[in-house]
CSV table of all heavy atoms in Angstrom, one decimal:
chain,number,residue,atom,x,y,z
A,950,TYR,N,110.6,99.7,85.6
A,950,TYR,CA,111.7,100.2,84.7
A,950,TYR,C,111.0,101.3,83.9
A,950,TYR,O,110.6,101.0,82.8
A,950,TYR,CB,112.4,99.1,83.9
A,950,TYR,CG,113.0,98.1,84.7
A,950,TYR,CD1,112.3,97.0,85.1
A,950,TYR,CD2,114.3,98.3,85.4
A,950,TYR,CE1,112.9,96.0,86.0
A,950,TYR,CE2,114.8,97.5,86.2
A,950,TYR,CZ,114.2,96.2,86.6
A,950,TYR,OH,114.7,95.4,87.5
A,951,PRO,N,111.0,102.5,84.4
A,951,PRO,CA,110.3,103.5,83.6
A,951,PRO,C,111.0,104.0,82.4
A,951,PRO,O,112.2,103.9,82.3
A,951,PRO,CB,110.1,104.7,84.6
A,951,PRO,CG,111.4,104.5,85.6
A,951,PRO,CD,111.6,102.9,85.6
A,952,HIS,N,110.3,104.7,81.6
A,952,HIS,CA,110.8,105.3,80.4
A,952,HIS,C,111.2,106.7,80.8
A,952,HIS,O,110.2,107.5,81.1
A,952,HIS,CB,109.9,105.2,79.2
A,952,HIS,CG,110.4,105.9,78.0
A,952,HIS,ND1,111.5,105.4,77.2
A,952,HIS,CD2,110.1,107.2,77.4
A,952,HIS,CE1,111.7,106.2,76.2
A,952,HIS,NE2,110.9,107.3,76.3
A,953,ILE,N,112.4,107.1,80.8
A,953,ILE,CA,112.8,108.5,81.1
A,953,ILE,C,113.5,109.2,79.9
A,953,ILE,O,114.5,108.6,79.4
A,953,ILE,CB,113.9,108.3,82.4
A,953,ILE,CG1,113.2,107.6,83.5
A,953,ILE,CG2,114.2,109.7,82.9
A,953,ILE,CD1,114.3,107.1,84.6
A,954,GLU,N,113.0,110.5,79.7
A,954,GLU,CA,113.6,111.1,78.6
A,954,GLU,C,113.5,112.6,78.9
A,954,GLU,O,112.7,113.1,79.5
A,954,GLU,CB,112.9,110.8,77.3
A,954,GLU,CG,111.4,111.2,77.2
A,954,GLU,CD,110.7,110.8,75.9
A,954,GLU,OE1,111.5,110.6,74.9
A,954,GLU,OE2,109.6,111.0,76.0
A,955,ILE,N,114.5,113.3,78.1
A,955,ILE,CA,114.5,114.7,78.1
A,955,ILE,C,113.6,115.3,77.1
A,955,ILE,O,113.6,114.8,76.0
A,955,ILE,CB,116.0,115.3,77.9
A,955,ILE,CG1,116.9,114.8,78.9
A,955,ILE,CG2,116.0,116.8,77.8
A,955,ILE,CD1,118.4,115.0,78.7
A,956,VAL,N,112.7,116.2,77.5
A,956,VAL,CA,111.8,116.7,76.5
A,956,VAL,C,111.9,118.3,76.6
A,956,VAL,O,112.2,118.8,77.6
A,956,VAL,CB,110.3,116.3,76.8
A,956,VAL,CG1,110.2,114.9,76.4
A,956,VAL,CG2,109.9,116.6,78.2
A,957,LYS,N,111.7,119.0,75.4
A,957,LYS,CA,111.6,120.5,75.4
A,957,LYS,C,110.1,120.9,75.6
A,957,LYS,O,109.3,120.5,74.7
A,957,LYS,CB,112.3,121.0,74.2
A,957,LYS,CG,113.7,121.1,74.2
A,957,LYS,CD,114.2,122.5,74.0
A,957,LYS,CE,115.5,122.6,73.7
A,957,LYS,NZ,116.5,123.0,75.0
A,958,ILE,N,109.9,121.6,76.5
A,958,ILE,CA,108.6,122.3,76.6
A,958,ILE,C,108.7,123.7,76.9
A,958,ILE,O,109.4,124.2,77.7
A,958,ILE,CB,107.8,121.7,78.0
A,958,ILE,CG1,107.8,120.2,77.7
A,958,ILE,CG2,106.4,122.3,78.1
A,958,ILE,CD1,107.3,119.4,79.1
A,959,SER,N,108.0,124.5,76.0
A,959,SER,CA,108.1,126.0,76.0
A,959,SER,C,109.6,126.4,75.9
A,959,SER,O,110.0,127.3,76.6
A,959,SER,CB,107.5,126.5,77.3
A,959,SER,OG,106.1,126.2,77.3
A,960,GLY,N,110.4,125.7,75.2
A,960,GLY,CA,111.8,126.1,75.0
A,960,GLY,C,112.8,125.7,76.2
A,960,GLY,O,113.9,126.1,76.1
A,961,LYS,N,112.2,125.0,77.1
A,961,LYS,CA,113.0,124.7,78.3
A,961,LYS,C,113.2,123.1,78.4
A,961,LYS,O,112.2,122.4,78.1
A,961,LYS,CB,112.3,125.2,79.6
A,961,LYS,CG,112.3,126.7,79.5
A,961,LYS,CD,111.6,127.3,80.8
A,961,LYS,CE,111.5,128.7,80.7
A,961,LYS,NZ,110.5,129.4,81.8
A,962,ASN,N,114.3,122.7,78.9
A,962,ASN,CA,114.5,121.3,79.2
A,962,ASN,C,113.7,120.8,80.4
A,962,ASN,O,113.9,121.4,81.4
A,962,ASN,CB,116.0,121.0,79.4
A,962,ASN,CG,116.8,121.0,78.2
A,962,ASN,OD1,116.3,120.7,77.0
A,962,ASN,ND2,118.1,121.3,78.2
A,963,CYS,N,113.0,119.7,80.1
A,963,CYS,CA,112.3,119.1,81.2
A,963,CYS,C,112.5,117.6,81.2
A,963,CYS,O,113.1,117.2,80.1
A,963,CYS,CB,110.7,119.3,81.2
A,963,CYS,SG,110.3,121.1,81.3
A,964,ILE,N,112.1,116.8,82.2
A,964,ILE,CA,112.3,115.4,82.1
A,964,ILE,C,111.0,114.8,82.3
A,964,ILE,O,110.2,115.1,83.1
A,964,ILE,CB,113.3,114.9,83.3
A,964,ILE,CG1,114.5,115.5,83.1
A,964,ILE,CG2,113.4,113.3,83.3
A,964,ILE,CD1,115.5,115.3,84.2
A,965,ASN,N,110.8,113.8,81.3
A,965,ASN,CA,109.5,113.0,81.4
A,965,ASN,C,109.8,111.6,81.9
A,965,ASN,O,110.6,111.0,81.4
A,965,ASN,CB,108.8,113.1,80.0
A,965,ASN,CG,107.6,112.1,79.9
A,965,ASN,OD1,107.5,111.2,79.1
A,965,ASN,ND2,106.7,112.3,80.8
A,966,VAL,N,108.9,111.2,82.8
A,966,VAL,CA,109.0,109.8,83.3
A,966,VAL,C,107.8,109.2,83.1
A,966,VAL,O,106.8,109.5,83.7
A,966,VAL,CB,109.4,109.7,84.8
A,966,VAL,CG1,109.6,108.5,85.3
A,966,VAL,CG2,110.7,110.7,85.2
A,967,ASP,N,107.7,108.2,82.2
A,967,ASP,CA,106.5,107.4,82.0
A,967,ASP,C,106.7,106.1,82.6
A,967,ASP,O,107.8,105.5,82.4
A,967,ASP,CB,106.3,107.2,80.5
A,967,ASP,CG,105.5,108.3,79.8
A,967,ASP,OD1,104.6,109.0,80.5
A,967,ASP,OD2,105.9,108.6,78.7
A,968,PHE,N,105.7,105.7,83.4
A,968,PHE,CA,105.8,104.3,84.2
A,968,PHE,C,104.6,103.6,84.2
A,968,PHE,O,103.5,104.1,84.0
A,968,PHE,CB,106.3,104.7,85.6
A,968,PHE,CG,105.4,105.7,86.4
A,968,PHE,CD1,104.3,105.2,87.1
A,968,PHE,CD2,105.6,107.1,86.2
A,968,PHE,CE1,103.5,106.1,87.7
A,968,PHE,CE2,104.7,107.9,86.9
A,968,PHE,CZ,103.7,107.5,87.6
A,969,SER,N,104.8,102.3,84.3
A,969,SER,CA,103.5,101.5,84.4
A,969,SER,C,104.0,100.2,85.2
A,969,SER,O,105.2,99.9,85.2
A,969,SER,CB,103.0,101.0,83.1
A,969,SER,OG,104.0,100.3,82.4
A,970,GLY,N,103.0,99.4,85.7
A,970,GLY,CA,103.4,98.2,86.5
A,970,GLY,C,102.2,97.5,86.9
A,970,GLY,O,101.1,98.1,87.3
A,971,LYS,N,102.1,96.2,86.9
A,971,LYS,CA,101.1,95.4,87.2
A,971,LYS,C,101.4,94.3,88.2
A,971,LYS,O,100.7,93.3,88.4
A,971,LYS,CB,100.5,94.7,86.0
A,971,LYS,CG,100.1,95.6,84.9
A,971,LYS,CD,98.7,96.2,85.1
A,971,LYS,CE,98.3,97.1,83.8
A,971,LYS,NZ,97.9,98.4,84.2
A,972,ASP,N,102.4,94.6,89.0
A,972,ASP,CA,103.0,93.5,89.9
A,972,ASP,C,102.4,93.5,91.4
A,972,ASP,O,103.1,93.0,92.2
A,972,ASP,CB,104.5,93.6,89.9
A,972,ASP,CG,105.1,93.0,88.6
A,972,ASP,OD1,104.4,92.1,87.9
A,972,ASP,OD2,106.1,93.5,88.2
A,973,GLY,N,101.3,94.1,91.5
A,973,GLY,CA,100.7,94.2,92.9
A,973,GLY,C,100.8,95.3,93.5
A,973,GLY,O,100.8,96.5,93.0
A,974,LEU,N,101.0,95.3,94.9
A,974,LEU,CA,101.0,96.4,95.7
A,974,LEU,C,102.4,97.0,95.8
A,974,LEU,O,103.4,96.2,96.2
A,974,LEU,CB,100.6,96.0,97.2
A,974,LEU,CG,100.2,97.1,98.1
A,974,LEU,CD1,99.1,98.0,97.5
A,974,LEU,CD2,99.6,96.5,99.5
A,975,TYR,N,102.6,98.2,95.5
A,975,TYR,CA,104.0,98.9,95.4
A,975,TYR,C,104.3,99.6,96.7
A,975,TYR,O,103.2,100.2,97.2
A,975,TYR,CB,104.1,99.9,94.3
A,975,TYR,CG,104.1,99.1,92.8
A,975,TYR,CD1,102.9,98.7,92.4
A,975,TYR,CD2,105.3,98.7,92.4
A,975,TYR,CE1,103.0,98.1,91.1
A,975,TYR,CE2,105.4,98.0,91.1
A,975,TYR,CZ,104.1,97.7,90.6
A,975,TYR,OH,104.1,96.9,89.3
A,976,SER,N,105.5,99.6,97.1
A,976,SER,CA,105.9,100.5,98.3
A,976,SER,C,107.1,101.3,97.9
A,976,SER,O,107.8,101.0,97.0
A,976,SER,CB,106.3,99.5,99.4
A,976,SER,OG,107.6,98.8,99.1
A,977,ALA,N,107.2,102.4,98.4
A,977,ALA,CA,108.3,103.3,98.4
A,977,ALA,C,108.9,103.6,99.7
A,977,ALA,O,108.2,104.0,100.6
A,977,ALA,CB,107.8,104.7,97.6
A,978,PHE,N,110.1,103.5,99.8
A,978,PHE,CA,110.9,103.7,101.0
A,978,PHE,C,110.3,102.9,102.1
A,978,PHE,O,110.2,103.3,103.3
A,978,PHE,CB,110.9,105.1,101.3
A,978,PHE,CG,111.7,106.0,100.2
A,978,PHE,CD1,110.8,106.6,99.2
A,978,PHE,CD2,113.0,106.1,100.1
A,978,PHE,CE1,111.4,107.4,98.3
A,978,PHE,CE2,113.7,106.9,99.3
A,978,PHE,CZ,112.8,107.5,98.2
A,979,GLY,N,109.8,101.6,101.7
A,979,GLY,CA,109.3,100.7,102.8
A,979,GLY,C,107.8,101.1,103.2
A,979,GLY,O,107.4,100.5,104.2
A,980,ARG,N,107.2,102.0,102.6
A,980,ARG,CA,105.8,102.4,102.9
A,980,ARG,C,104.9,102.3,101.7
A,980,ARG,O,105.3,102.4,100.6
A,980,ARG,CB,105.9,103.8,103.5
A,980,ARG,CG,106.6,103.9,104.8
A,980,ARG,CD,106.5,105.2,105.5
A,980,ARG,NE,107.1,105.1,106.7
A,980,ARG,CZ,106.8,105.8,107.8
A,980,ARG,NH1,105.8,106.7,107.8
A,980,ARG,NH2,107.5,105.6,108.9
A,981,PHE,N,103.6,102.0,102.1
A,981,PHE,CA,102.6,102.1,101.0
A,981,PHE,C,101.8,103.3,100.8
A,981,PHE,O,101.4,103.9,101.9
A,981,PHE,CB,101.8,100.8,101.3
A,981,PHE,CG,102.5,99.6,101.3
A,981,PHE,CD1,102.9,99.0,102.4
A,981,PHE,CD2,102.6,98.8,100.1
A,981,PHE,CE1,103.7,97.8,102.5
A,981,PHE,CE2,103.4,97.6,100.0
A,981,PHE,CZ,103.9,97.1,101.3
A,982,TYR,N,101.6,103.7,99.6
A,982,TYR,CA,100.7,104.9,99.3
A,982,TYR,C,99.8,104.7,98.3
A,982,TYR,O,99.9,103.8,97.4
A,982,TYR,CB,101.8,106.0,98.8
A,982,TYR,CG,102.9,106.4,99.8
A,982,TYR,CD1,104.0,105.7,99.8
A,982,TYR,CD2,102.6,107.5,100.6
A,982,TYR,CE1,105.0,106.0,100.8
A,982,TYR,CE2,103.7,107.8,101.6
A,982,TYR,CZ,104.8,107.1,101.7
A,982,TYR,OH,105.8,107.4,102.6
A,983,LEU,N,98.8,105.5,98.2
A,983,LEU,CA,97.7,105.5,97.2
A,983,LEU,C,97.4,106.9,96.8
A,983,LEU,O,97.4,107.8,97.6
A,983,LEU,CB,96.4,104.9,97.8
A,983,LEU,CG,95.3,104.5,96.9
A,983,LEU,CD1,95.9,103.3,95.9
A,983,LEU,CD2,94.1,104.1,97.7
A,984,ARG,N,97.2,107.1,95.5
A,984,ARG,CA,96.9,108.5,95.0
A,984,ARG,C,95.4,108.8,95.1
A,984,ARG,O,94.6,107.9,94.8
A,984,ARG,CB,97.3,108.4,93.5
A,984,ARG,CG,97.1,109.7,92.8
A,984,ARG,CD,98.3,110.6,93.2
A,984,ARG,NE,98.5,111.7,92.3
A,984,ARG,CZ,99.5,112.5,92.2
A,984,ARG,NH1,100.5,112.2,93.0
A,984,ARG,NH2,99.5,113.5,91.4
A,985,VAL,N,95.2,109.9,95.8
A,985,VAL,CA,93.9,110.3,96.0
A,985,VAL,C,93.8,111.9,95.5
A,985,VAL,O,94.5,112.6,96.1
A,985,VAL,CB,93.4,110.3,97.5
A,985,VAL,CG1,92.1,110.8,97.7
A,985,VAL,CG2,93.5,108.9,98.0
A,986,GLY,N,93.2,112.0,94.4
A,986,GLY,CA,93.3,113.4,93.7
A,986,GLY,C,94.7,113.6,93.4
A,986,GLY,O,95.3,112.9,92.6
A,987,GLU,N,95.2,114.8,93.9
A,987,GLU,CA,96.5,115.1,93.6
A,987,GLU,C,97.4,114.8,94.7
A,987,GLU,O,98.6,115.3,94.8
A,987,GLU,CB,96.6,116.6,93.3
A,987,GLU,CG,95.8,117.1,92.1
A,987,GLU,CD,95.6,118.6,92.1
A,987,GLU,OE1,96.4,119.3,92.8
A,987,GLU,OE2,94.7,119.1,91.3
A,988,GLU,N,96.9,114.0,95.6
A,988,GLU,CA,97.8,113.7,96.8
A,988,GLU,C,98.2,112.3,96.9
A,988,GLU,O,97.5,111.4,96.4
A,988,GLU,CB,96.9,114.0,98.1
A,988,GLU,CG,96.7,115.4,98.6
A,988,GLU,CD,96.0,115.6,99.8
A,988,GLU,OE1,95.2,114.7,100.2
A,988,GLU,OE2,96.4,116.4,100.6
A,989,ASP,N,99.4,112.1,97.6
A,989,ASP,CA,99.8,110.7,97.9
A,989,ASP,C,99.5,110.4,99.4
A,989,ASP,O,100.1,111.0,100.2
A,989,ASP,CB,101.3,110.6,97.6
A,989,ASP,CG,101.6,111.0,96.2
A,989,ASP,OD1,100.9,110.7,95.3
A,989,ASP,OD2,102.7,111.7,96.0
A,990,LYS,N,98.6,109.5,99.6
A,990,LYS,CA,98.1,109.2,100.8
A,990,LYS,C,98.7,107.9,101.5
A,990,LYS,O,98.7,106.9,100.8
A,990,LYS,CB,96.5,109.0,100.9
A,990,LYS,CG,95.9,108.8,102.2
A,990,LYS,CD,94.5,108.6,102.0
A,990,LYS,CE,93.9,108.0,103.3
A,990,LYS,NZ,92.6,107.2,103.1
């Protein structure tokens, strides 16, 4: 359950999503991914 809010950055509306979780291995759309640098592997 992420924290989602509208934030103003450089005078423009943006959306910030802060998230955390400690419940084990997460999957998205039925697949598992791991962050490597700036990529989702």
Side-chain angles (χ1 to χ4, degrees):
Y950 301 95
H952 177 74
I953 304 168
E954 66 179 341
I955 299 168
V956 292
K957 276 243 193 261
I958 302 170
S959 300
K961 297 177 182 173
N962 284 334
C963 296
I964 299 170
N965 171 236
V966 182
D967 277 319
F968 54 90
S969 64
K971 303 277 187 239
D972 290 329
L974 197 55
Y975 290 87
S976 68
F978 302 94
R980 297 184 172 212
F981 296 90
Y982 299 86
L983 191 68
R984 189 71 164 195
V985 180
E987 300 167 15
E988 286 186 322
D989 304 322
K990 182 180 167 212

